Amino acid sequence: MDNRAQIREFLASRRARITPEQAGLPVYGGNRMVSGLRREEAAMLAGVSIDYYIRMERGHLTGASDAVLEGIARALQLDHAERDHLFDLARASEPSPARQRRSREPGITASVQQVLDAITDAPAWVRNARHDMLAANRMARALYAPMLADPRRPANNARFVYLDPASRDFFTDWDRAADDIAAMLRLEAGRNPYDRKLVELIGELSTRSEDFRTRWAAHNVRFHRTGHKKLHHPVVGDVDLDFEAMELPSQSGLFLLVYTAAEGSPAADSLRLLASWAATAERTGELVEGGNTIS
């Protein structure tokens, strides 16, 4: 991925969304040539010279200090995810051949699978930053049965959302799911621009999905640590679940996701029905096996 292009398009897109009024700047008469801030206005708010700001917006962040980056983040009113993304882009622009040598990606340990299997009443699964499903408990395999119907392994949630028509039935709010996936992949692309498998995934999605190309071009980034999932399961119907996502402290880059429902809620009833179906489906071979068959 072209780091300079990412920097250029990210900064330009963030500047374009901030109006002078939002930035607390006076607005005088006459027609403005841009809908957002002018470069000189962004430079003034960031506390840097216009020449330096233009250089940065052309994709040159090499040597930018933390203070300068913080100034840019304040001027463009970046949220936490966008600020982290800006700093990631700056780090990736520094000349360092070692950045291109990624360590071997961690696998799923037996202890992690044991943790998943110990969670019997809630769907729980582990993914990497590319959204590959690397391991799951029985409830998660039952919940994500539509995604796991594709024999390609590891199953990938981004491919499912953008390339499998079944995802539009599975995700009740498909547009939100598609927005989230693109934004999380964009965040990871800034963090790990030399991840060959990530580059290949983004290339595949860009080639095959206009929906992805449009969202990718928006340069939005987003954390996805907690929230709600509105799903339509082919067996249990609509289910509205809470989720928590946390990075595994012993395996950097891997994330544990657990879906729950408030006791006494319709979603809790749906999870009990899902558990009953999963137990039967596992005995009859309808449910994809766990462990290494997923990864």
Side-chain angles (χ1 to χ4, degrees):
M1 282 172 278
D2 186 336
N3 179 258
R4 287 186 180 179
Q6 287 198 78
I7 295 169
R8 181 174 62 250
E9 293 164 12
F10 177 67
L11 289 178
S13 66
R14 300 311 93 170
R15 178 171 59 82
R17 70 179 183 178
I18 304 295
T19 66
E21 294 89 346
Q22 290 172 324
L25 297 176
V27 180
Y28 302 106
N31 295 326
R32 290 175 62 90
M33 298 300 292
V34 295
S35 57
L37 293 177
R38 298 187 178 102
R39 289 192 180 94
E40 57 267 28
E41 292 169 333
M44 179 189 68
L45 291 168
V48 299
S49 70
I50 178 61
D51 290 340
Y52 189 27
Y53 181 84
I54 290 174
R55 180 177 181 276
M56 288 191 290
E57 198 171 287
R58 286 176 176 169
H60 300 276
L61 286 181
T62 304
S65 67
D66 287 357
V68 166
L69 296 175
E70 291 286 5
I72 296 296
R74 287 194 302 271
L76 301 183
Q77 300 181 14
L78 304 185
D79 63 22
H80 291 305
E82 291 167 332
R83 177 195 172 278
D84 282 7
H85 186 55
L86 175 63
F87 274 74
D88 286 337
L89 292 174
R91 279 190 289 268
S93 69
E94 297 295 334
S96 176
R99 295 185 183 279
Q100 301 185 34
R101 300 194 298 269
R102 289 178 51 84
S103 59
R104 186 173 181 270
E105 187 170 276
I108 299 299
T109 64
S111 61
V112 169
Q113 187 64 56
Q114 288 170 12
V115 169
L116 292 174
D117 292 337
I119 303 172
T120 58
D121 296 329
W125 57 291
V126 173
R127 66 163 176 82
N128 58 21
R130 295 188 300 274
H131 293 260
D132 293 326
M133 177 182 273
L134 301 179
N137 67 1
R138 183 168 66 183
M139 286 286 283
R141 288 183 281 118
L143 182 65
Y144 275 91
M147 181 176 75
L148 293 170
D150 185 336
R152 185 172 180 176
R153 293 293 181 268
N156 181 275
N157 199 31
R159 288 193 185 93
F160 177 60
V161 167
Y162 282 105
L163 304 182
D164 191 333
S167 70
R168 294 181 181 267
D169 294 325
F170 182 67
F171 291 103
T172 304
D173 189 349
W174 184 87
D175 284 316
R176 176 60 185 270
D179 289 345
D180 287 344
I181 287 286
M184 286 186 283
L185 289 179
R186 174 63 79 177
L187 191 65
E188 182 62 16
R191 185 181 297 116
N192 289 312
Y194 303 114
D195 184 335
R196 179 180 57 81
K197 291 182 179 179
L198 177 63
V199 173
E200 290 173 353
L201 173 63
I202 291 169
E204 178 184 1
L205 297 176
S206 298
T207 301
R208 300 178 58 189
S209 172
E210 175 65 27
D211 289 309
F212 180 79
R213 287 195 297 274
T214 299
R215 288 169 168 84
W216 187 250
H219 283 266
N220 293 325
V221 293
R222 187 174 301 162
F223 294 136
H224 201 59
R225 297 166 175 165
T226 186
H228 304 279
K229 291 286 185 182
K230 294 181 179 292
L231 308 174
H232 179 81
H233 191 271
V235 175
V236 304
D238 292 333
V239 54
D240 187 356
L241 299 171
D242 300 314
F243 78 88
E244 295 290 333
M246 59 211 81
E247 188 168 12
L248 294 175
S250 62
Q251 294 186 274
S252 178
L254 299 186
F255 300 83
L256 170 66
L257 295 91
V258 181
Y259 297 173
T260 60
E263 187 59 37
S265 67
D269 293 336
S270 295
L271 284 182
R272 281 189 283 271
L273 179 59
L274 182 69
S276 176
W277 174 77
T280 301
E282 191 170 61
R283 287 195 301 270
T284 60
E286 297 176 69
L287 200 61
V288 173
E289 292 292 334
N292 292 333
T293 60
I294 289 181
S295 58

